[in-house]
Amino acid sequence: MEPLEGIAEADAHLGRPVPLPRVPLPLTRWVDVVAVGPHAVEVSWNLDDTRADQPGRVALYAGDDPPPERTLDGATAAEAVAEGVVHREAPLGDAQPSLRPVHELRWQLDGLHLRLTAQGPWTVAALVDIARSVS
C-alpha cells in the first residue's frame, strides 16, 4: 500500500473520480487514502470511538480488479443482503470492542469493484445504506 495525498491523488491513481459515500458517517478522527494496486485505492475513515458502542472504522476499496481476498477467522459465508451486494462478517474476538465485529460488503458499480469494510457495532442495514449511497 502506498499513501496518497488525498482524494485528488486517488482520483488520478484510479483514473477517474473515486466513488464516495453520500450519507453522513459517524464523527471521523482522521482519514487515510492509499493506493492498493494499479487502478485501485482504499479510503479509510477512522472514527471517533471514544464513546461506548461506537464503531471504530469504515473503509471503501474501489478498483478495476476485485479487492484482494482477506482471511477472516470465523467469518460467515457471503450472502446477498441487497441487489448485487453480498455481506460476510467475522467476530474479531481479540480486537477492541469498537473494532468488532468486522463486516465486509462487496458489489460492483460503473465497472468498478467495491468493498466496504466496517469494524464495530454496525447494523447490516446501515452498511447497506452506506453502500447504496456510494457514487
Side-chain angles (χ1 to χ4, degrees), residues 100-123:
R100 63 179 190 245
V102 61
H103 298 267
E104 183 180 273
L105 282 73
R106 290 177 177 239
W107 72 103
Q108 292 182 35
L109 177 70
D110 296 331
L112 286 176
H113 293 268
L114 300 168
R115 176 183 64 202
L116 184 72
T117 305
Q119 292 182 258
W122 295 93
T123 66

Side-chain angles (χ1 to χ4, degrees), residues 7 19-33 42-49 51 54-61 107 115-119 122-123 125-135:
I7 294 299
L20 297 169
R22 302 292 181 211
V23 297
L25 298 174
L27 181 64
T28 302
R29 294 176 87 180
W30 74 90
V31 177
D32 294 313
V33 182
E42 187 168 68
V43 180
S44 301
W45 292 266
N46 297 280
L47 307 173
D48 186 339
D49 60 354
R51 291 181 175 162
Q54 295 299 306
R57 189 168 189 263
V58 64
L60 180 65
Y61 166 96
W107 72 103
R115 176 183 64 202
L116 184 72
T117 305
Q119 292 182 258
W122 295 93
T123 66
L127 296 175
V128 168
D129 287 345
I130 294 170
R132 286 289 176 223
S133 79
V134 171
S135 63

Side-chain angles (χ1 to χ4, degrees), residues 83-104:
E83 186 176 336
V85 180
V86 296
H87 168 264
R88 70 180 182 144
E89 72 178 85
L92 293 185
D94 292 337
Q96 66 189 45
S98 66
L99 297 177
R100 63 179 190 245
V102 61
H103 298 267
E104 183 180 273

